[in-house]
Amino acid sequence: MLITAFDLSARPLLIKTSEKYIQITQSSLGEIHMRDMTCSHRGGPLTHGVEVNGVITCPWHRLRTEACKLKTLAIPYVRHRNYLWIGLDTFERVIPNA
């Protein structure tokens, strides 16, 4: 497992691993939430899709996914000040403007 640090000031944060797009958000209470934002059809980034009435349309092939059905991920992490240290099996990059 690779431990990687991410700056929480970039919100929301979108991380690309070899298998999925992970969106990390922080609630107003400071709680960290991680969701799998990978389209089940061809693996596109749902964060770049359009959401209308709780349904996200994938930007790649227009498959629609209900936002409430996206998986919440239980990835180990440690928060220190404005950084989040996350344990990931694979990490490719941070995607800006998610």
Side-chain angles (χ1 to χ4, degrees):
M1 180 179 297
L2 177 67
I3 306 296
T4 308
F6 299 97
D7 186 351
L8 284 174
S9 64
R11 289 188 244 172
L13 182 62
L14 181 64
I15 298 168
K16 171 73 173 98
T17 69
S18 63
E19 300 171 355
K20 60 184 75 175
Y21 293 90
I22 302 169
Q23 183 182 51
I24 300 173
T25 56
Q26 181 175 259
S27 74
S28 60
L29 300 175
E31 299 167 327
I32 301 297
H33 301 279
M34 299 182 206
R35 291 195 313 172
D36 183 352
M37 296 298 288
T38 310
C39 179
S40 61
H41 177 230
R42 299 289 297 256
L46 292 177
T47 52
H48 289 76
V50 176
E51 183 173 354
V52 176
N53 296 326
V55 177
I56 303 171
T57 302
C58 179
W60 287 6
H61 299 100
R62 305 289 180 236
L63 181 74
R64 294 180 180 170
T65 303
E66 292 181 47
C68 65
K69 292 187 177 179
L70 295 172
K71 295 178 190 173
T72 298
L73 303 172
I75 299 172
Y77 71 89
V78 172
R79 181 178 181 171
H80 180 67
R81 296 190 180 137
N82 206 36
Y83 286 89
L84 198 64
W85 297 81
I86 303 174
L88 298 169
D89 291 329
T90 60
F91 168 72
E92 290 183 8
R93 67 187 186 279
V94 172
I95 299 176
N97 302 321

